[in-house]
Amino acid sequence: MSSSENTLEGHELPLRSIYDDDFRFTIPDYQRPYSWTRDQAGQLLDDLLTALGERSASPGETGDPYFLGSLVLVKKKGRPAAEVIDGQQRLTTLTLLFAVLANLAESSDEKSSYMKRIQQPGDVVAGTRAEPRLRLRARDRDFFTKFVQSPDGISLLVSLPDHQVPDGSVQRRLRDNASLFVNTLKLKTSAERLRLGSLLVNETFLVVVSTSTEDSAHRVFSVMNSRGLQLSPADIFKARVIGSIEESKRNEYSTK
């Protein structure tokens, strides 16, 4: 394959540039499910609140950027469609956090600002349609759309009883993490929540590695995850093998 057919790029980008029209993320069906529990979600929020406190203690000073790690994407330059090879845990949890902040927002402008990070607004002139910025695996997508990406979804999500969200399921993890975020952030003032939102959008960064071919993305993914990131060899092997199967058959084999 010639270099003109395959490009590899890496950039440090703030979340305002990631949750934007330049990216439309999809989690392939062969990926492992959303697996962050309250431990990981709580640590993320604690770290963000600590960073926020450090900035509040030194008003007028800009703190160091807050880095959240990396994304590995299959994405062609100039096109928003991006298949997520690595990074779905962060993207999903950040979307959940934006949704909770939108739910707790006291002004319509603030709520709208968070929602546009969750849902791409339609634009007749630009020729774009309204759609979620992040699409989970097919088996989790409808739940995520209804209970996280819809304007009143978080209130419904945190009120779901245990029998509707089986223990160990993606649905249970999303509900528990949303409840943790709500219970923590509702104790903050509206001004503190707004500062947290500003920290997320403007000063929180991800390293985005994108390549135009899936094979190249899986090579990057394998190298990165052989150097200490928390994925098992089985996860890497599964992503590599199922990613090489014909697209129309991936969901069947992933389910098996």
Side-chain angles (χ1 to χ4, degrees):
M1 178 177 292
S2 69
S3 60
S4 62
E5 293 175 309
N6 179 31
T7 58
L8 178 65
E9 296 184 353
H11 303 281
E12 296 174 359
L13 296 176
L15 294 191
R16 68 171 181 270
S17 298
I18 292 172
Y19 288 86
D20 194 33
D21 292 357
D22 289 339
F23 294 92
R24 189 171 65 250
F25 300 106
T26 298
I27 308 301
D29 288 339
Y30 60 80
Q31 291 280 17
R32 63 177 181 166
Y34 177 65
S35 58
W36 273 20
T37 66
R38 290 185 183 187
D39 289 340
Q40 290 83 24
Q43 186 63 61
L44 171 65
L45 184 56
D46 285 347
D47 289 347
L48 288 166
L49 292 174
T50 297
L52 188 66
E54 292 171 351
R55 284 159 171 75
S56 299
S58 303
E61 293 186 16
T62 302
D64 294 331
Y66 181 75
F67 284 95
L68 272 180
S70 61
L71 302 179
V72 179
L73 310 173
V74 178
K75 182 181 183 297
K76 293 185 178 179
K77 192 170 184 178
R79 299 182 184 180
E83 187 174 280
V84 180
I85 303 302
D86 190 32
Q88 74 149 315
Q89 308 298 327
R90 297 180 190 90
L91 288 174
T92 304
T93 306
L94 288 168
T95 300
L96 187 65
L97 182 53
F98 279 132
V100 168
L101 286 167
N103 178 261
L104 296 174
E106 296 180 5
S107 77
S108 58
D109 286 345
E110 186 178 347
K111 184 181 183 74
S112 175
S113 181
Y114 292 126
M115 287 305 301
K116 78 176 185 180
R117 266 86 202 179
I118 299 167
Q119 291 271 359
Q120 173 181 290
D123 188 317
V124 174
V125 176
T128 58
R129 61 183 181 181
E131 59 183 322
R133 297 199 184 279
L134 172 65
R135 289 160 50 90
L136 294 196
R137 305 182 311 162
R139 71 199 72 178
D140 306 318
R141 192 171 298 157
D142 289 345
F143 184 92
F144 194 68
T145 299
K146 177 179 179 179
F147 291 103
V148 177
Q149 295 171 306
S150 300
D152 299 316
I154 291 296
S155 295
L156 298 173
L157 178 60
V158 298
S159 66
L160 288 175
D162 285 352
H163 71 269
Q164 290 188 23
V165 284
D167 190 29
S169 67
V170 170
Q171 291 84 356
R172 175 69 70 92
R173 294 186 192 105
L174 288 170
R175 188 207 63 179
D176 289 352
N177 291 346
S179 297
L180 172 66
F181 288 163
V182 168
N183 290 335
T184 301
L185 294 176
K186 71 182 181 181
L187 300 177
K188 305 295 181 181
T189 66
S190 59
E192 287 172 327
R193 289 194 294 268
L194 181 58
R195 288 199 298 273
L196 174 61
S198 180
L199 171 69
L200 274 170
V201 170
N202 298 310
E203 298 180 62
T204 301
F205 286 71
L206 286 166
V207 176
V208 180
V209 180
S210 60
T211 177
S212 56
T213 69
E214 191 168 279
D215 189 57
S216 177
H218 282 294
R219 285 198 299 271
V220 172
F221 170 80
S222 297
V223 169
M224 293 177 70
N225 284 286
S226 68
R227 296 181 180 175
L229 299 185
Q230 299 301 306
L231 288 176
S232 71
D235 288 323
I236 298 171
F237 180 77
K238 178 183 175 184
R240 179 79 176 177
V241 171
I242 298 183
S244 67
I245 294 173
E246 182 182 335
E247 187 171 358
S248 62
K249 298 180 180 179
R250 285 179 193 166
N251 191 48
E252 174 189 354
Y253 282 95
S254 181
T255 300
K256 287 181 180 180

